[in-house]
Amino acid sequence: MQSRVLVIYGSFGVAGLNRLVTDWSKVDILEFDAFADERLLKLGASLIPRTRMMDHERAENEYARVRNMFDAFLNHRGTYPGIDTSRSFRAACLGAECFKIATCYLWNLDIARKLMAEKRWERIIVSPGTGVSSLSWKQMAEALGIPLVQLPFDREKPPFLWMLRRRLNKWKAKRRAKPASAASGVPKAMREAGPKSEWICADSRLEPLLARADDSSPWHKLTPLVEPSAEELGRVRADYLEWWKSWWENWKSDSANQTSMSEGPILETIGKLLCSEVYPRRFLQLQQARKRLEALQPQAMLFGAMRGKQELMWLLAAQERGIPTGAVTLDDQIDPLIAFDVDRVFCDDARQQEMALFAKMEADRVRMIRTHRAPPPQPPRTEALLTENRGLVVMAGTYFSGQRIGALPSVNLWAVKLLVETARLMPDHDFLFKPHPIRERPEQATHWTGFHHLHLWQIECFVGGLRPPSNFRLLQPEANLAHLMQKTDVLVNIESYAAFEAYALGIPVVHVCPAIRGWKAFEKLIEMGAEQVADTPPKLAECLGKNLRDALHIRRQTELQQEFLRGFYSLDAPPLDEAALSAFDSVQSQTTKL
């Protein structure tokens, strides 16, 4: 068999890749967050087949493996004088970054294992890109005894003129933003907690849900924990790194039967990151929280459920003192096995509730609350187009966070291309693509997830290469989707909660990716017939036509969507303030009985 070159095709090193490869006829391309140029295929390169979506069962298996790996990671420990290495502390320090690193790594490693069994490669070239985990490909190269070339970024940021235009667009968006009016009901600042404060909110993200305009909220806030000094961090960091050396040696000794393609090496990367950057800072903040809670005697404390945040140090300190605790699923899930445990969990949608139960939270500890994310439901639409002549179709973009593998990193580009081709088929209507808001920089060399200026620039270059018709327009990430939906006729959704906002507003939604099977919260959407799916330009054009012109279909569809939404968001549930006070009263009653 002819030896070939395996190219891991990430978007950040394409220019360097084109300079390096001279004979594309010997190249097999594995696309990640970019599509290989047609020119390369004409030169003889072959594509390794990929789907844009991972099936539900495989995606859940991937997540279960990450979860099990972290469970073992947290159990395998030794003590060290003067620092905290307990399971509860280390679990509370496992932030989103750790999950991104581990999830992308295991996913890449599985692909590498399969490719090893199929062909013999003479070398591997890795172009950085979203979802690309370099360590897994390094392991494959070492196992095969072949060289690996890791390409650098083509550029650290987009061109100067492009960045200048971005700043101008951001400035314009800020100027256009409507200031909050006095009548908007914006609550006053929450009062600071003192020795007599019974109910404490230890997470600033929850304050808007608990504060009241008349300043009568029983909840009080804590001042943020102070950032430790460089001297303190340096001292504690040295202790944690010393502990880590012992931990890693013990791990390797206990795992002597691991092969060259085993999963252990990623723990070395994660362990060094935690011991260098996370554990020292959180340990010193935990000491602060312990000391400051000595003067407080609250009845209960409330937190957000974001993994690895500094507020969780308040939670650990509270639990040490026997103070009842509760967490609200903001944009993350509750998982007592590998994150943290609380007395009560407050979920504002059915999916988060189901995930809490999946993570083995007892049902009587999980409460539904009224969501703050969905606008008040509007009456179902009875007319076709909102405008007189042309319909407005908007697609809400997504991005690859890496914490779970469902949609692959290229799904955003695939969806943009789908919308552009559909716009060509429907010249009498207008199409807008709204990118996801800007997120973290693609700096981490183990996965490069997120959505930042480099990603946005590449989307713009990709759209330009498609030569879109005049009825298609790419918006800026700062465009206000909520305001835009006021004049939207149909929303096209990839994987975004924007679909549920549209449901509430009476806007028909067409999904280009089907709902996740296996979760009851989403299967109900399918069972009700409320899910419209179209994944090719002809199918999408046909489906959009019905949702733009057929008034009877529009009414029925918006009714079904809102019926689903009532159950998904439990719109009749109490708000967080009331639910938390009631739930903590029951916790105290149970404690009194014991």
Side-chain angles (χ1 to χ4, degrees):
M1 181 182 293
Q2 183 186 26
S3 294
R4 299 182 66 80
V5 176
L6 175 61
V7 167
I8 309 305
Y9 202 80
S11 62
F12 298 139
V14 172
L17 185 62
N18 287 325
R19 289 191 297 268
L20 179 65
V21 177
T22 56
D23 185 359
W24 286 95
S25 66
K26 295 182 179 180
V27 171
D28 292 322
I29 296 175
L30 182 66
E31 296 173 327
F32 268 76
D33 64 335
F35 296 135
D37 194 303
E38 291 291 333
R39 178 185 62 86
L40 306 183
L41 304 182
K42 291 178 181 178
L43 291 173
S46 64
L47 287 179
I48 296 174
R50 301 287 302 277
T51 59
R52 67 179 181 277
M53 296 288 293
M54 187 182 290
D55 66 82
H56 170 73
E57 183 177 358
R58 184 180 165 202
E60 288 306 304
N61 287 339
E62 292 282 349
Y63 176 68
R65 288 173 60 204
V66 172
R67 198 167 177 263
N68 291 337
M69 185 176 72
F70 279 133
D71 181 32
F73 173 72
L74 294 171
N75 274 336
H76 194 283
R77 67 179 180 88
T79 59
Y80 192 91
I83 58 174
D84 194 334
T85 60
S86 66
R87 179 187 175 100
S88 59
F89 170 75
R90 293 168 61 219
C93 291
L94 273 179
E97 185 75 4
C98 297
F99 286 86
K100 292 175 183 179
I101 293 172
T103 302
C104 290
Y105 166 80
L106 290 181
W107 174 51
N108 279 242
L109 192 66
D110 279 352
I111 300 171
R113 287 166 173 166
K114 291 178 181 177
L115 291 177
M116 282 182 65
E118 291 177 6
K119 293 188 178 182
R120 180 70 183 180
W121 317 98
E122 66 177 20
R123 65 172 171 160
I124 301 173
I125 303 174
V126 179
S127 173
T130 300
V132 176
S133 178
S134 302
L135 178 57
S136 58
W137 303 108
K138 179 182 178 183
Q139 282 182 240
M140 177 179 172
E142 291 176 349
L144 294 176
I146 61 176
L148 176 139
V149 178
Q150 173 68 63
L151 295 175
F153 277 28
D154 291 331
R155 59 192 315 145
E156 294 298 320
K157 58 184 179 181
F160 173 76
L161 290 179
W162 187 92
M163 288 297 294
L164 194 62
R165 179 166 58 85
R166 275 287 298 138
R167 293 191 182 96
L168 180 61
N169 287 332
K170 290 171 68 175
W171 177 78
K172 288 180 178 178
K174 189 175 181 179
R175 285 282 303 267
R176 288 194 296 266
K178 296 180 180 179
S181 64
S184 62
V186 177
K188 295 181 179 179
M190 192 177 291
R191 290 172 291 176
E192 295 285 347
K196 296 183 179 180
S197 300
E198 296 181 335
W199 310 99
I200 291 182
C201 169
D203 196 320
S204 61
R205 292 161 297 179
L206 299 179
E207 291 177 20
L209 307 181
L210 295 170
R212 297 176 184 173
D214 59 2
D215 206 23
S216 64
S217 173
W219 295 93
H220 294 71
K221 67 177 181 180
L222 292 165
T223 54
L225 296 169
V226 178
E227 181 69 15
S229 69
E231 182 180 355
E232 290 176 309
L233 286 172
R235 173 177 52 80
V236 178
R237 181 181 293 115
D239 289 341
Y240 272 110
L241 288 173
E242 191 64 31
W243 167 80
W244 172 250
K245 288 180 184 178
S246 174
W247 189 100
W248 183 238
E249 290 303 319
N250 289 336
W251 173 273
K252 288 190 293 184
S253 176
D254 293 345
S255 309
N257 61 342
Q258 292 206 8
T259 68
S260 58
M261 293 299 286
S262 293
E263 301 164 359
I266 195 62
L267 294 182
E268 183 178 20
T269 298
I270 293 172
K272 286 181 178 177
L273 171 68
L274 289 169
C275 289
S276 298
E277 305 297 333
V278 181
Y279 291 160
R281 179 171 283 101
R282 294 290 177 259
F283 172 66
L284 292 168
Q285 291 174 329
L286 175 58
Q287 290 183 319
Q288 289 182 44
R290 287 167 173 163
K291 185 174 181 180
R292 287 165 63 179
L293 272 186
E294 289 178 1
L296 301 173
Q297 298 294 326
Q299 292 190 35
M301 295 181 69
L302 201 57
F303 307 82
M306 299 293 282
R307 289 169 170 159
K309 296 294 184 180
Q310 70 171 19
E311 289 82 4
L312 296 182
M313 298 305 104
W314 286 111
L315 185 148
L316 294 180
Q319 290 177 336
E320 290 172 357
R321 302 184 69 83
I323 300 170
T325 57
V328 184
T329 57
L330 290 169
D331 291 315
D332 211 336
Q333 67 189 82
I334 299 291
D335 194 335
L337 179 68
I338 54 173
F340 57 89
D341 200 0
V342 285
D343 297 294
R344 289 290 183 269
V345 177
F346 303 97
C347 305
D348 76 336
D349 70 49
R351 177 174 178 263
Q352 294 291 358
Q353 179 191 40
E354 191 174 356
M355 292 176 78
L357 298 176
F358 171 80
K360 308 302 183 185
M361 294 292 302
E362 293 87 350
D364 62 354
R365 294 163 63 192
V366 181
R367 302 287 179 91
M368 289 296 293
I369 59 172
R370 189 182 306 161
T371 186
H372 63 285
R373 292 182 288 173
Q378 301 297 313
R381 285 258 299 276
T382 58
E383 74 281 4
L385 295 181
L386 295 178
T387 54
E388 293 183 2
N389 300 315
R390 302 176 65 88
L392 179 61
V393 178
V394 176
M395 177 180 276
T398 185
Y399 81 105
F400 182 80
S401 71
Q403 293 193 58
R404 278 178 179 261
I405 306 292
L408 303 191
S410 60
V411 72
N412 217 32
L413 297 185
W414 170 84
V416 170
K417 185 176 180 180
L418 172 63
L419 194 68
V420 168
E421 296 304 319
T422 305
R424 295 191 207 280
L425 299 176
M426 304 180 71
D428 295 332
H429 302 288
D430 295 316
F431 291 76
L432 303 179
F433 181 84
K434 162 64 174 69
H436 194 279
I438 294 295
R439 287 292 184 264
E440 64 268 22
R441 293 178 181 275
E443 293 176 342
Q444 175 53 255
T446 54
H447 56 82
W448 293 294
T449 56
F451 187 73
H452 211 254
H453 297 297
L454 271 176
H455 301 93
L456 179 62
W457 175 57
Q458 288 169 345
I459 288 179
E460 290 194 10
C461 292
F462 178 74
V463 169
L466 296 175
R467 299 184 182 278
S470 59
N471 62 328
F472 174 91
R473 187 157 57 96
L474 181 66
L475 300 177
Q476 292 296 308
E478 293 77 25
N480 190 310
L481 186 60
H483 294 165
L484 183 61
M485 279 206 252
Q486 300 298 326
K487 54 184 180 180
T488 296
D489 290 292
V490 185
L491 181 79
V492 180
N493 191 64
I494 307 173
E495 275 199 332
S496 171
Y497 267 54
F500 299 151
E501 295 179 35
Y503 286 4
L505 295 170
I507 300 170
V509 176
V510 178
H511 300 264
V512 297
C513 295
I516 302 173
R517 269 62 176 172
W519 291 100
K520 294 178 182 178
F522 293 135
E523 285 184 343
K524 187 175 181 182
L525 179 71
I526 303 165
E527 293 168 2
M528 292 171 56
E531 182 192 40
Q532 300 184 101
V533 181
D535 59 0
T536 66
K539 288 180 180 178
L540 184 55
E542 179 183 359
C543 190
L544 290 176
K546 183 180 280 189
N547 286 273
L548 287 166
R549 294 187 291 266
D550 188 337
L552 290 177
H553 173 82
I554 293 169
R555 181 180 180 85
R556 177 59 178 159
Q557 181 61 30
T558 53
E559 287 175 345
L560 286 172
Q561 291 174 173
Q562 293 195 348
E563 182 182 343
F564 164 79
L565 205 63
R566 279 190 287 273
F568 184 80
Y569 275 132
S570 292
L571 297 178
D572 296 330
L576 174 60
D577 186 357
E578 297 175 14
L581 293 176
S582 172
F584 283 130
D585 280 340
S586 67
V587 171
Q588 291 164 349
S589 298
Q590 293 170 9
T591 304
T592 302
K593 290 178 182 179
L594 293 175

